[in-house]
Amino acid sequence: MLVDTHCHLYLPEFKQDLDDTILRAKNSGISKIILPNIDSKSIDSMFNLYYSDTNLFSIAIGLHPRSVKEDYELELSKIFKHSINIIGIGEIGIDLYWDKTFLKEQQVVFDFQLNYACENNLPVIIHSRNSLKEVLDIVKLYLPKGLKGVFHCFPGNLQEAKQIINYGFYLGIGGILSYKKNNMLEVVENIDLEFILTETDSPYLSPVPYRGKRNEPSYMFEIVKLISSLKKIDYDDVANITKNNAIKLFNF
Ligand SMILES: [Zn+2]
């Protein structure tokens, strides 16, 4: 059984064939799909999907750094009133790839959400695109408060991966592992499987041979297959160990 620890299946990209996509996911061995939120516009569709199958889905609430604008306080209040049945806070972090205009606001929002996670003893799902160093410095401040979580779509090198597991965090590994010349090959070869979570980030970042197309949870198979061959560990063992890692972190 596989767990997709990061999937935005509630987005309009899946409106046409949502039921079939879910069926393909189940048929491919997926037993749990974790849905992290984006902003106040996505929260209703995310909760609706969650209530359609509370065994298959689990949810996290949070304000994505790319959605942080001058109205961030209103956004946070709209999102954080939906705190029932959540298993984590996400996705949250800092994004310096798309737009740096609201960097200060991104940091304020990140701090708010990290505090919320610590106070409620919830794991965090962290987005750190082009900002890994900044995010690591901030996360370090919350370790004494018991912060735990995953660096989703881990973007760093082996040294940074070691720092993250020293923090007690997990590395979220997805489609990038299948791309030519990527840091993740070295990371996955050298980091013990007990620190790795599997994810698709659907509808983004499809693994080869689906690269460039819409991603979906059933493609997780390709990622687990790659981890299995890189680490020379049986496919079923990779699936089992990474599933247990996800259960340990998110407590579902
Ligand atoms: Zn995401």
Side-chain angles (χ1 to χ4, degrees):
M1 287 306 216
L2 305 172
V3 179
D4 185 351
T5 60
H6 196 108
C7 177
H8 303 283
L9 206 56
Y10 51 81
L11 287 176
E13 280 87 339
F14 296 102
K15 218 167 192 161
Q16 295 295 324
D17 60 345
L18 183 61
D19 290 345
D20 288 343
T21 308
I22 292 170
L23 198 62
R24 282 194 296 275
K26 286 180 173 169
N27 288 341
S28 75
I30 300 262
S31 59
K32 176 64 79 182
I33 299 174
I34 295 178
L35 308 169
N37 187 46
I38 297 170
D39 53 32
S40 68
K41 290 189 290 294
S42 61
I43 202 144
D44 285 341
S45 47
M46 182 183 77
F47 268 88
N48 286 339
L49 182 58
Y50 165 66
Y51 285 121
S52 75
D53 189 341
T54 53
N55 286 319
L56 179 62
F57 297 111
S58 289
I59 40 171
I61 56 165
L63 178 56
H64 191 293
R66 276 188 71 192
S67 295
V68 173
K69 304 275 151 47
E70 49 282 83
D71 66 344
Y72 69 87
E73 284 177 314
L74 181 62
E75 273 293 301
L76 285 173
S77 71
K78 282 181 184 171
I79 292 165
F80 277 81
K81 66 183 182 201
H82 298 273
S83 57
I84 303 166
N85 294 332
I86 59 171
I87 57 149
I89 301 300
E91 70 182 89
I92 64 173
I94 292 176
D95 188 307
L96 297 178
Y97 178 79
W98 294 98
D99 187 2
K100 294 175 186 148
T101 316
F102 294 103
L103 174 58
K104 235 183 74 190
E105 289 82 354
Q106 284 192 38
Q107 286 165 333
V108 171
V109 168
F110 193 29
D111 273 317
F112 172 87
Q113 299 185 102
L114 291 173
N115 268 313
Y116 187 97
C118 290
E119 279 161 16
N120 294 281
N121 198 23
L122 288 164
V124 291
I125 300 166
I126 291 182
H127 172 108
S128 54
R129 191 157 188 197
N130 283 28
S131 64
L132 185 57
K133 282 194 171 59
E134 289 83 351
V135 168
L136 281 168
D137 285 345
I138 296 170
V139 163
K140 193 177 179 185
L141 304 174
Y142 289 86
L143 298 179
K145 294 183 180 178
L147 187 70
K148 57 196 169 138
V150 55
F151 279 75
H152 133 70
C153 191
F154 172 66
N157 56 34
L158 180 58
Q159 197 197 336
E160 289 159 332
K162 285 180 176 166
Q163 193 178 349
I164 282 167
I165 64 172
N166 277 335
Y167 282 6
F169 273 62
Y170 290 86
L171 307 167
I173 301 294
I176 290 174
L177 183 64
S178 67
Y179 301 170
K180 276 198 184 104
K181 288 191 219 153
N182 73 83
N183 282 338
M184 290 316 103
L185 295 169
E186 194 194 7
V187 168
V188 168
E189 272 167 351
N190 290 285
I191 295 290
D192 198 290
L193 202 52
E194 71 177 291
F195 304 108
I196 289 174
L197 297 183
T198 50
E199 61 170 55
T200 62
D201 201 17
S202 301
Y204 316 111
L205 296 172
S206 297
V208 173
Y210 307 103
R211 194 174 180 184
K213 297 184 184 144
R214 183 191 70 176
N215 199 2
E216 62 171 72
S218 67
Y219 299 165
M220 177 78 90
F221 167 80
E222 299 290 342
I223 298 158
V224 175
K225 211 168 63 179
L226 260 172
I227 296 174
S228 163
S229 72
L230 280 168
K231 298 192 82 62
K232 299 177 182 64
I233 298 174
D234 270 4
Y235 181 95
D236 287 344
D237 291 337
V238 173
N240 252 319
I241 293 167
T242 53
K243 181 193 76 179
N244 287 331
N245 296 342
I247 292 171
K248 209 166 134 193
L249 179 63
F250 291 108
N251 202 18
F252 54 79

